[in-house]
Each structure stands twice: as C-alpha cells, then as structure tokens.
Amino acid sequence: MYNFPLNTIGVGIRSQIPITNRITLTPDVKYAPQFNDIHELYAGLNVHFLLITSTKNISYQRSKVEPQKPNLYITAGAEYNQWFNHINSINSQAKEKNILPKIGLGTSFGSHITRFFAEIKYNILWDEAYAEAGLLIYPGFIKLKKKNSCPVIH
C-alpha cells in the first residue's frame, strides 16, 4: 500500500470471495508501521465488479478461467481506520477512529495459482489517493504430487 499525499507505505493481507462470475467480496487488513509519519491500521470490505473478466461461461453452472487474460474491475467499499499516533491536522474530519468510504479501479493477471494485482483507490472523505499492489495465491489450484494410495481390488 502506498498513500500518495502522505508518502506512507504499508503491508496487508486480503481474501477474495466470488459471489458471481463478475462480483467478488474482498475483505482486507492493512498496516502502516510506525516508521511512517502516520501509524495506522485499516480493516475493510470491498466489492469488486469485473468489467473485463478472464472467466468465460461454458454452460450452466460451469465456467473456464483463463488467468493469462487480465481482469479489469471497479472496486468500492469501506474500511475502519485506527490512527495510532493521531494529532489534530488540517483535515478536521480525521479522528483517531474513522470509517472511510473508498472507490477505485484495479486489474489482476497471472496463472491459475498466482496472480498479480494492482489498484488505485480514492478516499472520498480525506481526499487522498493511494495504490495497492500484490500477489494473490489460489491454493485450490495447487496440485500435490501424491500417488493414489487406494487399494487395488482383484
């Protein structure tokens, strides 16, 4: 995570929960460590609406994922913000604890197991733009090289 006006960097973790082929819920937690001027924690929920998707419907209740094709999506959500080293600032709306609405645009691409993502988001209340980039891991696609140990019946 990188906040452009404040030059703040942070780390986070997220999950993607598919609702339909075009909509995912994405809960996340982000932390900006205390070496930044602003030391804070975020926890939120986003909805991603895929404008361009790498999933195509094959038939009823079946789809095929083509991960090498990029996804392009709109993201909207809200997050709880805990500003640990809060001070009064020019932004009178910024308190120690905040609920922040945000909107943005993102993309993801890669393979079935790993995909890179990049997003640009805008915090409506504080008039701040920030970016997020990272790696998504899909453990369901990891194939373990184990032999089938079922007994053979003759």
Side-chain angles (χ1 to χ4, degrees):
M1 171 184 81
Y2 181 76
N3 184 311
F4 294 106
L6 301 174
N7 296 321
T8 301
I9 60 172
V11 296
I13 189 167
R14 68 166 56 180
S15 177
Q16 285 189 313
I17 304 162
I19 303 301
T20 69
N21 277 348
R22 293 209 174 263
I23 298 173
T24 62
L25 291 179
T26 308
D28 65 355
V29 176
K30 297 181 293 271
Y31 177 67
Q34 50 191 327
F35 60 74
N36 293 294
D37 289 338
I38 307 293
H39 177 211
E40 57 193 340
L41 175 74
Y42 295 91
L45 180 65
N46 295 292
V47 176
H48 293 177
F49 178 75
L50 291 137
L51 300 171
I52 299 171
T53 179
S54 62
T55 304
K56 75 177 181 184
N57 291 331
I58 297 173
S59 64
Y60 180 73
Q61 295 287 341
R62 281 187 64 215
S63 60
K64 178 182 177 186
V65 177
E66 300 174 291
Q68 68 282 4
K69 294 183 178 178
N71 287 327
L72 179 65
Y73 53 90
I74 296 172
T75 179
E79 54 193 12
Y80 167 80
N81 166 262
Q82 172 70 51
W83 184 0
F84 296 113
N85 60 349
H86 176 263
I87 56 168
N88 291 329
S89 64
I90 4 175
N91 184 352
S92 61
Q93 295 180 33
K95 307 293 183 211
E96 186 177 345
K97 298 176 182 178
N98 307 278
I99 300 293
L100 306 173
K102 56 190 176 164
I103 57 172
L105 189 64
T107 186
S108 67
F109 57 91
S111 70
H112 282 289
I113 297 171
T114 58
R115 295 182 201 154
F116 295 97
F117 74 90
E119 297 174 352
I120 185 82
K121 294 181 179 176
Y122 180 70
N123 173 341
I124 299 163
L125 289 182
W126 291 354
D127 191 27
E128 290 179 347
Y130 65 98
E132 293 181 18
L135 182 67
L136 300 167
I137 299 171
Y138 294 84
F141 286 107
I142 298 172
K143 294 179 181 171
L144 301 175
K145 295 184 179 185
K146 292 184 177 178
K147 291 185 177 184
N148 187 348
S149 60
C150 293
V152 176
I153 300 174
H154 296 279

